[in-house]
Amino acid sequence: MADLEQIKKKLSTIHKYSDSELDIIMPKLEEIDRIRKAKHAVILAHYYQIPPIQLIADKAGDSLALASYAKALPNEISLIVTSTVYFMAEMVKSMCPGKKVVIPDPKAGCSIADGMNVNALRKIRENYPKAAIVAYINTTAEVKSEVDAVCTSANAGAILSNIEGNPVILLPDYFFSKNIITGMRNKQNGKRYLAYKMIDDGSIIMEDILTGKEERIKINEKEAPLLKDGTCMVHNKFTEFDIHEYRKNNRIDVVIAHPEVRPSIANMADAVGGTEKMIEYLKGKPNMKNVLFITECDMAAPLREAFPEKEFFTPCRFCDYMRKNNLNNLLDSLKKEIHEVNLGPEITQGARRSMERMFELTSMLP
Ligand code: 13P
Ligand code: SF4
């Protein structure tokens, strides 16, 4: 149950909201809380949501934490509001097909998810019939329904080393794939690891990450994904200059980065990991006082809450998609149960199978 006084205190002390901002925010949070209780609804929020949304949510977390939470929801819950982006709302729907899932703004997309479609995926499958194909969680439910397993930033290394099949293919974010596969060090088990790179001149470009060799598969332009590559338009903007500048002007003890950043940036970081892993990494490290984090700017909220004694710096970049959600459209989607996410039975079943495979492979030893 939400403790609204506690939320108000955190918004004021940790997140520095002014009294006049709180006068607008708190009545909305009260209304959200009242309606949520009356409807037996739950609110899920990604860590890249504004602090009031993260605090009023029943669960705030990374994509894996939200998927696990949704999977374990009891029968009495019939409505889920996912304050996330669309592929995450689909992910929640595939874990809870019997529940109504809504999203505050259905236009909350993702440049990684727009970088892959089933046409390209089928071409890749045809070309590598013995491959295990793993989709990053940032993909549509349709893409998930035709791969062998899903992975997230929290478990990609384990999934890639545990999955059977050779080669192992990871798609669609080339930077993510490269960072994860090179970071696996000796866990590649003598297999080939291929990453989807981009569409170029009527071809799908695949890269053997360990040798750097490229392979091409023909694709009709009309069948190609909406975007020519599947990288994150927030994380791919961080530069070497950002890190140099912060290091020059502040006493930075540690740099942590999300694996969606460019490999040159990942190489400059002390730790590379998904949103939840960043929190894990900093636990029990009192000497790491000044932390530079290279990921979406709203990640400051859970970091500051988890470690009030540390100071966090970031070359602040927001995800415009995540920011489409706000307290007004969240309240609206909860109240009117609008912007429902619907998936056909085959896609639901297929996406769920790939998600379940992820949970099985994560629980195996790496
Ligand atoms: P997480 O899996 O770490 O939640 O990340 C998803 C995402 O979209 C990061 O940009
Ligand atoms: Fe997609 Fe990047 Fe936004 Fe994450 S931060 S939802 S990967 S566009």
Side-chain angles (χ1 to χ4, degrees):
M1 199 182 294
D3 180 339
L4 291 161
E5 272 313 303
Q6 189 63 19
I7 292 178
K8 188 174 178 184
K9 196 164 154 211
K10 282 186 177 178
L11 287 173
S12 151
T13 56
I14 305 177
H15 306 296
K16 313 288 179 217
Y17 280 77
S18 66
D19 286 348
S20 56
E21 285 172 314
L22 290 173
D23 285 347
I24 298 169
I25 291 169
M26 290 314 295
K28 291 180 189 169
L29 294 186
E30 277 158 30
E31 194 176 357
I32 288 171
D33 191 38
R34 186 176 52 72
I35 299 173
R36 170 211 0 227
K37 280 181 198 139
K39 290 192 173 211
H40 299 289
V42 296
I43 300 167
L44 308 184
H46 190 264
Y47 276 151
Y48 298 170
Q49 296 295 283
I50 55 170
I53 293 185
Q54 292 196 43
L55 288 169
I56 198 67
D58 295 84
K59 175 74 187 167
D62 70 356
S63 56
L64 182 63
L66 298 182
S68 308
Y69 187 87
K71 184 171 144 75
L73 278 174
N75 287 341
E76 316 72 275
I77 302 296
S78 55
L79 175 64
I80 308 175
V81 181
T82 57
S83 199
T84 60
V85 284
Y86 205 82
F87 77 81
M88 287 188 202
E90 285 190 337
M91 165 195 87
V92 169
K93 180 68 183 176
S94 70
M95 299 317 296
C96 307
K99 302 189 194 298
K100 187 181 238 187
V101 175
V102 297
I103 180 164
D105 187 336
K107 292 187 294 306
C110 169
S111 61
I112 296 183
D114 283 342
M116 182 48 60
N117 66 12
V118 279
N119 305 324
L121 174 60
R122 286 174 190 162
K123 294 264 176 221
I124 295 169
R125 175 77 81 194
E126 259 167 51
N127 222 58
Y128 302 100
K130 296 208 169 110
I133 305 185
V134 180
Y136 186 33
I137 193 84
N138 299 39
T139 41
T140 62
E142 193 178 18
V143 164
K144 286 189 182 77
S145 74
E146 296 198 18
V147 296
D148 300 298
V150 170
C151 72
T152 79
S153 60
N155 59 21
I159 305 292
L160 294 186
S161 43
N162 288 336
I163 198 161
E164 52 291 326
N166 191 11
V168 177
I169 293 175
L170 182 56
L171 51 81
D173 180 354
Y174 173 65
F175 295 148
F176 176 83
S177 304
K178 195 157 170 133
N179 289 330
I180 295 295
I181 295 165
T182 49
M184 283 166 65
R185 293 190 188 86
N186 300 324
K187 297 198 184 112
Q188 287 109 349
N189 309 324
K191 291 186 188 182
R192 279 207 319 141
Y193 282 85
L194 297 176
Y196 167 78
K197 193 167 183 181
M198 59 164 80
I199 304 285
D200 177 49
D201 197 20
S203 292
I204 295 169
I205 314 286
M206 304 293 291
E207 182 180 309
D208 182 326
I209 292 294
L210 301 177
T211 64
K213 202 172 141 275
E214 286 185 356
E215 300 172 11
R216 286 179 170 256
I217 307 166
K218 283 264 160 265
I219 186 165
N220 185 323
E221 289 285 341
K222 285 197 207 99
E223 296 190 329
L226 193 62
L227 299 180
K228 297 275 179 237
D229 68 12
T231 62
C232 166
M233 51 172 60
V234 181
H235 288 91
N236 71 16
K237 299 266 181 341
F238 293 107
T239 63
E240 285 90 335
F241 180 76
D242 288 332
I243 299 184
H244 280 309
E245 280 301 286
Y246 274 90
R247 279 215 154 114
K248 204 166 71 190
N249 300 326
N250 305 279
R251 217 204 96 202
I252 298 293
D253 298 315
V254 64
V255 179
I256 53 177
H258 194 282
E260 290 167 12
V261 297
R262 292 170 184 277
S264 57
I265 305 298
N267 289 339
M268 290 172 81
D270 300 287
V272 178
T275 39
E276 208 79 54
K277 281 202 170 170
M278 289 182 175
I279 296 177
E280 280 307 307
Y281 179 80
L282 293 174
K283 278 187 187 155
K285 302 208 170 78
N287 295 340
M288 293 184 182
K289 278 230 161 338
N290 298 315
V291 182
L292 175 61
F293 70 94
I294 308 292
T295 187
E296 209 270 352
C297 200
D298 277 319
M299 185 61 199
L303 287 170
R304 289 197 175 114
E305 283 201 28
F307 307 102
E309 74 290 358
K310 294 189 193 294
E311 189 151 1
F312 291 95
F313 301 84
T314 184
C316 185
R317 293 202 169 88
F318 290 108
C319 173
D320 290 343
Y321 292 120
M322 288 277 185
R323 285 247 155 175
K324 286 193 180 292
N325 301 320
N326 53 50
L327 287 174
N328 295 335
N329 58 20
L330 193 160
L331 185 54
D332 232 32
S333 62
L334 170 67
K335 215 192 277 187
K336 302 180 191 153
E337 302 187 18
I338 49 171
H339 310 312
E340 185 175 357
V341 176
N342 284 307
L343 298 172
E346 271 180 36
I347 290 180
T348 307
Q349 214 179 33
R352 193 187 167 92
R353 174 194 42 74
S354 299
M355 290 290 296
E356 292 292 357
R357 190 76 190 112
M358 168 185 79
F359 287 115
E360 286 160 21
L361 290 165
T362 312
S363 63
M364 287 164 61
L365 285 173

